[in-house]
């Protein structure tokens, strides 16, 4: 669980990846980059969101690299459908061409676990896949904070999160989660053990009634608990 | 303090603005001259023998009518606008092309009349004040003339040369102030009487907004397409570097893809930047090349495309996606016969997107207004031009196409409605007989429907007439394309892809 993102921790566990993009050149490129890693196995490709559910059922990927703009079923709809209908859905890592893509926030609301720019360096691409596969961190472009501001950041710190009130420590952890920090990073920031952080995160999710970190972050932004400034 | 006040007081007399405005006013006086002469002649005639009066009266009426014409002319207004801009320092826009409204003409005529009258007054004042001042000053300096002999001006007579000089100078100064005042008033009034009317201003703003919207759309599409291309090249390069040692064949293919993508993106940049640099459609300089109907089409299409608050999430489809579009239409129950070239790769991306939109709009309209009738969709690419033609028989009377109301209900009129759009390629040959708009949709002399689709020869549903045109066009196309399948489409049969 070291923050470095090296494949060492999994002890040989391979992350199965499905690539969804309407452009073949993008699929081929992502496949070459991800497939070159010993701990990542690209198990399939799809050119349209409509192909995703059957492929997911058949191939059982751990992570879906999902393009947003596709003819037919776009990445947002596909993500929403996937996470709503699968019993054990894969993590969705949305890949976008533009950092300021107005649909990034939609993807977050749909339940995507992270974001990746297609122009990211190969090391960032594989790191993102690993981090999302571990299910512990969100990868944000800076733009998401501005978008979140437009949606729900007006409330400042007069937060009214749903559910029972968070302890001061839990609130701190939620802010760091919303900032895209991993458990290990939060542990380092707060001088806590990683297991303690995991416990705090679990408590936060339970109190908010959130399915996962993504939902918790959406709530944090929309309630105004977290603002772009802090 | 007192000095400042004096300076401010004489400022109008020494300001260049006053003299330029004075020239403007005097111009009015000059134009008034022939009117005055005419008036004098008629006054003489009417004062003359009784038997000549009725003829003179008739002549007077005719002359007055003719004399009034210049005041209402567009050209006169344009001249007045130019004069006001140059001499009154007023910022006025060029009059828009096309016919002026009655209101605009009346305002222009009012300005013309006021200009002439004030000009006449100023000229008269000048003709009075200047000689008097000169004569008085001459008398004071001893340059005696006969002009002031026997003069009585209130308490003054010809002997009081000093006082008369003062009076003459005072007249000139008063004239200067009058000119400054009238000139300022003219500058204030010019925008009211010579400026664009509210309707013209709204039309200009709308045209401007439509032009901007069109440019915005092009810019956004450019950003999307070139951004995508750059992303592809970046990703392919990254992947190639990653596997260079283990899979050199992949690296080779990636390099080829990068080259192709880069080349395509460059071509797209060239093309769209060319469109963006072209003068906007409403620009008077472009008006000669693009008649109003065509411009309206492009603008309306742009407005329609931009009207939605959110850009489409899917990538903008091009003619390469035509098969999918036709498949969708067929799935929706439209019997579509598609005739298209084997490859549309040579069509610039922006033009290709435009062509796709035309086909899409046409099929949508066919689905709406000609349910159950076969539709022929023909896409032709020739040197520098793209033609998109959509023909379908006029729908059942129940359909709501615009022209249907003109036909008696229940009478099925044999005929076809043709929707045809061409897209001009800058630098290339436009489709013969069709109007081209930079970056826009060509309109073959027809009615423009928002969305860039056009119906030649009149409103949609005018059945026979448009159908005739469509049939004629179709015959020509069959010859050019050499596709028997195209001709067969007309009889409504199976859909086939020619070539």
């Amino acid at each position: 669980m070291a923050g470095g993102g090296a494949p060492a921790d999994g002890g040989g566990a391979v992350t199965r990846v499905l690539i969804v993009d309407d452009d073949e050149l993008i699929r081929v490129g992502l496949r070459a980059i991800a497939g070159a890693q010993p701990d990542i196995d690209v198990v399939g490709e799809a050119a349209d969101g409509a192909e995703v559910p059957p492929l997911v059922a058949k191939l059982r990927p751990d992570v879906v690299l999902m393009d947003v703009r596709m003819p037919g079923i776009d990445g947002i709809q596909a993500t929403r459908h996937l996470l709503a209908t699968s019993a054990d859905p894969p993590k969705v890592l949305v890949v976008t061409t533009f950092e300021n893509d107005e649909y990034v926030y939609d993807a977050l609301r749909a339940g995507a676990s992270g974001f990746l720019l297609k122009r990211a360096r190969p090391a960032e691409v594989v790191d993102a896949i690993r981090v999302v596969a571990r299910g512990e961190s969100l990868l944000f472009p800076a733009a998401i904070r501005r978008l979140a501001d437009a949606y729900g950041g007006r409330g400042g710190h007069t937060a009214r999160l749903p559910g029972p009130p968070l302890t001061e420590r839990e609130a701190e952890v939620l802010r760091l989660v919303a900032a895209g920090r991993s458990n290990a990073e939060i542990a380092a920031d707060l001088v806590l053990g990683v297991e303690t952080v995991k416990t705090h995160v679990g408590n936060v999710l339970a109190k908010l009634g959130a399915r996962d970190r993504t939902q918790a972050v959406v709530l944090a932004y929309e309630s105004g608990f977290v603002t772009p400034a802090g | 303090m007192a000095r400042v006040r004096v300076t401010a007081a004489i400022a109008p007399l020494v300001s260049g603005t006053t003299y330029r405005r004075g020239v403007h006013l005097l111009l009015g006086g000059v134009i008034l001259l022939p009117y005055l002469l005419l008036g004098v002649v008629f006054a003489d005639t009417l004062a003359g023998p009784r038997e000549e009066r009725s003829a003179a009266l008739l002549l007077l009426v005719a002359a007055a009518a003719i004399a009034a014409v210049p005041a209402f002319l567009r050209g006169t207004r344009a001249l007045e606008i130019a004069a006001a801009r140059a001499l009154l320092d007023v910022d006025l826009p060029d009059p828009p092309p096309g016919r002026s409204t009655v209101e605009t003409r009346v305002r222009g005529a009012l300005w013309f009349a006021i200009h002439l009258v004030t000009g006449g007054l100023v000229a008269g004042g000048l003709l009075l004040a200047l000689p008097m001042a000169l004569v008085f000053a001459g008398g004071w300096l001893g340059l005696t003339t006969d002009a002031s002999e026997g003069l009585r001006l209130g308490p003054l007579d010809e002997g009081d040369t000093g006082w008369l000089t003062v009076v003459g100078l005072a007249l000139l100064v008063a004239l200067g102030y009058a000119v400054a005042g009238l000139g300022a008033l003219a500058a204030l009034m010019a925008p009211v009487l010579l400026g664009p009317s509210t309707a013209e201003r709204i039309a200009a703003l709308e045209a401007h907004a439509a032009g901007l919207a069109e440019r915005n759309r092009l810019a956004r599409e450019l950003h999307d397409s070139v951004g995508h291309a750059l992303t592809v090249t970046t990703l392919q390069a990254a992947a190639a570097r990653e596997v260079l040692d283990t899979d050199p064949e992949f690296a080779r293919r990636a390099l080829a893809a990068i080259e192709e993508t880069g080349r395509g993106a460059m071509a797209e940049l060239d093309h769209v930047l060319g469109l963006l640099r072209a003068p906007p459609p409403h620009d008077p300089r472009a008006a000669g090349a693009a008649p109003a109907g065509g411009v309206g089409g492009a603008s309306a299409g742009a407005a329609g495309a931009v009207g939605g608050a959110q850009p489409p999430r899917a990538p903008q489809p091009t003619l390469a996606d035509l098969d999918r579009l036709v498949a969708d239409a067929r799935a929706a129950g439209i019997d579509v016969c598609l005739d298209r070239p084997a490859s549309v790769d040579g069509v610039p991306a922006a033009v290709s997107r435009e062509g796709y939109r035309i086909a899409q709009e046409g099929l949508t309209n066919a689905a709406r207004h000609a349910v159950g009738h076969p539709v022929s969709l023909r896409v032709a690419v020739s040197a520098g031009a793209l033609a998109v033609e959509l023909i379908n028989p006029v729908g059942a009377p129940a359909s709501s196409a615009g022209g249907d109301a003109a036909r008696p209900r229940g009478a099925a009129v044999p005929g076809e409605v043709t929707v045809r759009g061409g897209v001009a390629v800058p630098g290339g040959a436009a489709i013969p007989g069709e109007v081209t708009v930079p970056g826009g949709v060509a309109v073959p002399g027809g009615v423009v429907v928002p969305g860039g689709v056009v119906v030649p020869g009149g409103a949609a549903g005018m059945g026979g007439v448009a159908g005739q045109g469509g049939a004629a066009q179709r015959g020509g196309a069959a010859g050019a394309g050499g596709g028997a399948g195209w001709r067969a489409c007309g009889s409504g049969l199976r859909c086939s892809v020619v070539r």
Side-chain angles (χ1 to χ4, degrees):
Chain A
M1 277 295 175
D9 58 312
V14 168
T15 302
R16 298 165 62 80
V17 173
L18 173 69
I19 298 172
V20 187
D21 197 303
D22 60 315
D23 190 322
E24 195 195 344
L25 288 174
I26 297 286
R27 293 199 305 271
V28 168
L30 287 173
R31 176 188 273 273
I33 289 168
Q37 303 299 315
D39 62 327
I40 296 176
D41 187 10
V42 178
V43 294
E45 292 178 12
D48 189 279
E51 302 170 29
V52 172
L55 278 177
V56 165
K58 196 174 96 183
L59 303 170
R60 308 297 314 161
D62 301 306
V63 175
V64 178
L65 295 188
M66 184 83 83
D67 185 23
V68 177
R69 298 181 188 215
M70 288 181 287
I73 306 290
D74 66 53
I76 309 295
Q77 294 174 47
T79 301
R80 199 174 291 134
H81 182 263
L82 193 61
L83 299 184
T85 56
S86 299
D88 179 21
K91 304 290 179 194
V92 175
L93 178 58
V94 168
V95 287
T96 60
T97 304
F98 300 109
E99 194 169 13
N100 288 320
D101 199 307
E102 54 265 64
Y103 300 111
V104 166
Y105 194 77
D106 290 344
L108 179 62
R109 286 176 61 97
S113 298
F115 303 89
L116 179 65
L117 285 171
K118 290 178 186 174
R119 63 169 182 266
R121 296 173 191 285
E124 293 169 345
V125 173
V126 296
D127 201 39
I129 293 172
R130 289 179 187 134
V131 166
V132 166
R134 286 202 297 267
E136 71 164 32
S137 187
L138 288 154
L139 300 143
F140 280 64
I144 188 65
R145 292 160 208 222
R146 293 203 291 277
L147 285 166
D149 184 34
Y151 276 83
R154 290 179 213 94
H157 286 273
T158 59
R160 249 173 285 140
L161 286 165
L166 302 182
T167 66
E168 205 169 303
R169 188 57 105 185
E170 286 163 354
E172 221 169 345
V173 169
L174 177 56
R175 277 202 189 90
L176 290 168
V177 168
R181 311 284 280 172
S182 70
N183 286 352
E185 286 166 336
I186 296 172
D189 287 347
L190 302 180
V191 201
L192 295 173
V194 173
E195 289 307 316
T196 314
V197 171
K198 277 188 179 175
T199 309
H200 284 311
V201 171
N203 289 344
V204 168
L205 297 191
K207 283 184 176 177
L208 299 182
R211 181 180 58 216
D212 51 23
R213 293 168 84 105
T214 302
Q215 270 201 341
V217 171
V218 171
L219 284 170
Y221 275 112
E222 289 192 335
S223 66
F225 174 76
V226 176
T227 57
Chain B
M1 195 65 189
R3 191 174 195 170
V4 173
R5 227 174 272 150
V6 170
T7 315
I10 63 165
L13 297 183
V14 294
S15 157
T17 308
T18 304
Y19 290 94
R20 274 202 306 280
R21 287 173 176 174
V23 169
H24 183 266
L25 292 171
L26 282 177
L27 274 177
V30 170
I31 305 170
L32 185 67
L33 266 183
Y35 289 95
L36 276 182
L37 287 176
L38 209 63
V40 168
V41 168
F42 274 107
D44 274 357
T45 318
L46 289 174
R50 185 173 290 271
E51 58 270 22
E52 288 176 20
R53 274 185 209 168
S54 55
L57 266 176
L58 209 65
L59 209 59
L60 177 64
V61 170
I66 293 169
V69 166
F72 292 90
L73 288 182
R74 248 179 69 81
T76 307
R77 186 160 170 264
L79 272 175
E80 285 284 9
I81 287 175
R85 272 201 297 231
L87 297 170
L88 292 181
D89 301 327
V90 183
D91 189 22
L92 290 170
D94 275 325
R99 287 189 68 80
S100 309
T101 59
V102 173
E103 185 229 330
T104 304
R105 282 175 191 273
V106 168
R107 282 189 300 129
L110 199 59
W111 172 264
F112 186 69
I114 293 173
H115 187 192
L116 263 56
V117 170
T118 46
L121 289 177
V122 168
L126 194 63
L127 287 176
L128 186 77
L130 197 60
M132 275 176 79
L134 282 175
V135 166
F136 293 161
W140 183 55
L141 292 171
L143 308 167
T144 40
T145 60
D146 305 340
S148 55
E149 244 180 49
L151 179 88
R152 285 281 177 278
L153 206 66
L156 304 174
D157 61 25
E158 66 204 273
D160 301 320
T161 50
W163 283 113
L164 282 176
T165 306
V166 170
V167 168
L169 287 177
L171 273 176
L172 279 183
V173 168
L175 185 70
Y177 280 117
V179 165
L182 285 172
L185 194 64
L188 267 179
M189 290 298 290
V192 178
L193 292 177
L194 290 179
S197 69
T198 311
E200 281 171 347
R201 221 172 278 145
I202 289 171
L205 278 176
E206 277 174 353
H208 185 63
L212 281 183
E214 170 73 7
R215 273 156 189 262
N216 275 339
R217 185 172 65 81
L218 282 171
R220 198 173 54 228
E221 285 180 359
L222 185 66
H223 176 250
D224 278 4
S225 68
V226 173
H228 179 74
L230 278 174
T231 298
V232 165
T233 52
T234 308
L235 186 60
Q236 287 278 321
R241 190 162 65 91
E242 202 73 356
V243 301
L244 189 58
D245 298 324
T246 54
D247 190 354
E249 184 47 39
F250 176 89
R252 194 187 310 277
R253 284 199 308 274
L255 284 175
I258 289 167
E259 183 190 343
E260 263 317 299
T261 310
R263 197 173 286 134
M266 237 4 259
E268 164 110 38
L269 258 182
D270 261 359
H271 175 73
V272 176
L273 288 183
L275 295 180
L276 288 174
R277 285 193 191 117
H282 63 279
D283 193 311
R285 279 165 294 176
V295 175
S299 305
V306 175
Q310 294 217 320
R313 191 180 285 169
Q316 293 295 307
T318 66
L319 286 176
D321 303 298
L322 205 57
D323 288 339
R324 187 203 296 261
L325 175 70
V326 169
D328 286 350
R330 284 174 185 156
I334 311 172
D335 188 7
V336 186
C337 167
L338 173 65
D339 172 20
R340 69 169 183 84
S343 166
V344 288
D345 293 347
V347 182
V351 175
S352 194
R353 286 193 291 264
E354 236 21 280
Y356 179 92
R357 279 198 201 101
I358 292 169
Q360 187 181 35
E361 182 76 20
L363 284 176
T364 306
N365 286 345
R368 207 173 287 155
H369 302 304
V371 185
H373 295 272
V375 175
S376 299
L377 173 60
R378 190 179 71 91
V379 175
V381 180
S382 57
L386 168 72
V388 179
E389 187 178 79
L390 196 124
I391 302 182
N392 66 270
V394 171
S399 87
S400 60
D404 280 357
R407 289 191 277 113
R409 299 252 149 198
V413 176
E416 293 168 324
V417 173
T418 304
V419 175
R420 193 183 308 146
V423 178
V425 185
I431 303 159
E434 297 189 340
V435 178
T436 62
V437 182
V441 176
V443 183
V447 171
V448 178
V449 183
V453 174
V454 296
V455 182
M462 284 305 279
V465 178
Q468 290 306 318
Q473 172 68 21
R474 199 186 48 177
W486 172 242
R487 190 171 282 282
C489 292
S491 21
L493 318 161
R494 270 326 327 146
C495 299
S496 58
V497 177
V498 179
R499 267 175 289 176

